[in-house]
Amino acid sequence: MIHRTEVYQKYNGHCAYCGKKIEIAEMQVDHIKAKRNGGTNDIENLNPSCRSCNHYKRAFDLEGYRKYLLTLDERIRKDYINRVAIDYGVISLTKFDGRFYFEKLGIK
């Protein structure tokens, strides 16, 4: 049986996807391959995730989630209020580089 602390320690208390520092109490355990798609509860299939990433990833596999994030800036720009905020310099957008935090660390 896998314990939450094992999952939390995989990336030293950071979300495996965005890299945000998270507390163990707020961490969500993400199934890299969703259980409904044949994923298991083995540590190799579990990642620590912040609430935002876990919610946004849903049942995507890693490549599906990556593709979804690669179009995030385009979807944000479609919303009128975001375009106004960009025009006034309130926010700026950077395209997702296609690499998750755990990949930047070179850890699988």
Side-chain angles (χ1 to χ4, degrees), residues 71-84 86 92-95:
T71 63
L72 181 59
D73 63 309
E74 296 166 16
R75 287 179 278 125
I76 290 171
R77 287 178 205 277
K78 287 181 181 179
D79 189 23
Y80 180 76
I81 191 68
N82 292 338
R83 289 196 314 267
V84 171
I86 291 166
S92 62
L93 296 179
T94 305
K95 190 162 184 67

Side-chain angles (χ1 to χ4, degrees), residues 13-22 26 50-53 101:
H14 290 83
C15 174
Y17 305 110
C18 71
K20 179 171 73 175
K21 180 77 173 152
I22 50 178
E26 64 188 24
C50 67
R51 180 177 304 276
S52 297
C53 286
Y101 178 74

Side-chain angles (χ1 to χ4, degrees), residues 4 6 11 17 23-25 32 34 56-57 64-65 79 88 106:
R4 286 177 57 82
E6 290 178 76
Y11 302 109
Y17 305 110
E23 298 298 324
I24 193 166
I32 298 166
Y56 208 63
K57 181 178 175 280
Y65 187 39
D79 189 23
Y88 280 88

Side-chain angles (χ1 to χ4, degrees), residues 21-55:
K21 180 77 173 152
I22 50 178
E23 298 298 324
I24 193 166
E26 64 188 24
M27 175 195 76
Q28 295 193 352
V29 177
D30 176 62
H31 288 82
I32 298 166
K33 181 177 182 181
K35 286 184 74 175
R36 67 177 166 188
N37 295 331
T40 67
N41 284 326
D42 297 331
I43 190 72
E44 297 81 23
N45 191 49
L46 301 176
N47 266 341
S49 181
C50 67
R51 180 177 304 276
S52 297
C53 286
N54 195 39
H55 175 77

